[in-house]
Amino acid sequence: MSSEVEKYHEEEKIGKTYDLRVVKRLLRYLRPYWKLVAVALTLTLITNVLVSLQPYFTKVAVDDFIVPKQIDGIWVFAFAFFGLFLFRFLFSYIQEILLNMVGQRVMFDLRNEIFTKLQRQEVAYYDKYPVGRIITRLTSDVDALNELFTSGVIDVLGDLVVIFAIIGMMFWLDWKLAIVSLITVPLLFAATNWLRKHAREGFDRVRTRNAKLNAYLQEFISGAQTVQLMNAEEKAKRGFREINDDYSSANIETIYYYAVFYPLVDFVGAVGIAFVIFFFGAEYLTGFSTSAQALTVGILASFIQYSLQLFQPIRDLSDKFNVLQAAIVASHRIFLLLDLEIEIKSPASP
């Protein structure tokens, strides 16, 4: 494939971007639907608070009913536990419906804005930019923004609420055991920071190669008759193979970072639980506890659950970072299109 063709299909690179400015611009698309967003955010906060109460119910079940073999009141406790899960399910269901409604409406508005912009562009614009790249803006780039609005911003706030609620509950139950549980948290943040540094560049490459692939497909499929008349099928296949391989390599490279990150998070979480069990054994089983509230088996059970729940939202935040980075890269490309000056304008009264 010649250098001219490569340059024609090559996608512009985003490079260093001002993410905060882009996020502020994206939030403007949410303004018409702020009431739905507010309700969804409220339901998210309530749901995540209910999540943080589940391990405490385990502590009560073990210490107040199982260990002392207490039967009185167990049915009331069981119904309360069931009610906790029921309300969590209902709130999560309504929240998911509302967020997807907002996401679909924002996508509808954004696609209309992009299409209107394209209708006003001069003909020379379509000679400079491949149609496949333009279609990528209306499809995959807009879809990336949908993921941001439906499972990105709101869930990030919810995960932060879960993290702070869990840490608060852990310190309320036993501050020394809470400190032991949090020893491994700095390792998680270090791993997340490592992922953040590499994932942004990877998503930029994936989006770039995807648009290049779409542009190449559009040109050679629409011009299939010309390719056959010129007996250029083999050349077209070689060019597609190069672009396709480049796109696959960019995806695999991005996946590599997550393939390292997720097992690392699980390993760090297992180490944290091991610290909790070891400290509990030293304090409880050997009888050296000097805390005002003696450690119990129920507290141990709740701390193990809290530790598992604490690592889950931290891991989820990395997933949301994945969504955020993809959306930021996609939004930059969309805004580059929307901000293009129209060089030739039709007169108001032709």
Side-chain angles (χ1 to χ4, degrees), residues 295-309:
L295 293 177
T296 63
V297 177
I299 290 179
L300 173 64
S302 65
F303 262 86
I304 292 176
Q305 284 188 302
Y306 275 130
S307 296
L308 293 173
Q309 285 189 353

Side-chain angles (χ1 to χ4, degrees), residues 65 71-80:
F65 295 99
I71 299 179
D72 295 338
I74 192 170
W75 287 109
V76 175
F77 174 80
F79 278 116

